[in-house]
Amino acid sequence: MAEMYTAGKLAKALGVSQGKVKKIIEAESIEPDEVKRNCKYYGEETAAKIKALLEKG
């Protein structure tokens, strides 16, 4: 099964603040790949998209 990331876990993996990740997610209207118990999870492909946007911006 592919790795799933929360915004916090993704921020830690990318070495940026959780706030930056959340701003990108909101600004780009990125939908979570999965929602469990009200937690949003992003898959590998979505994580790569967020990473690219962080590097660009």
Side-chain angles (χ1 to χ4, degrees):
M1 190 173 141
E3 182 87 29
M4 297 298 279
Y5 301 93
T6 60
K9 191 174 175 185
L10 185 55
K12 191 172 182 180
L14 298 175
V16 297
S17 73
Q18 188 172 339
K20 280 187 177 182
V21 171
K22 286 187 173 188
K23 278 183 185 174
I24 290 286
I25 290 168
E26 285 179 28
E28 300 294 324
S29 301
I30 297 171
E31 292 297 318
D33 296 309
E34 199 172 313
V35 179
K36 284 185 188 171
R37 294 191 181 109
N38 215 24
C39 278
K40 296 173 185 171
Y41 292 90
Y42 304 92
E44 300 271 351
E45 202 172 292
T46 308
K49 181 179 176 182
I50 293 168
K51 181 182 179 192
L53 289 165
L54 281 166
E55 289 170 351
K56 193 171 88 175

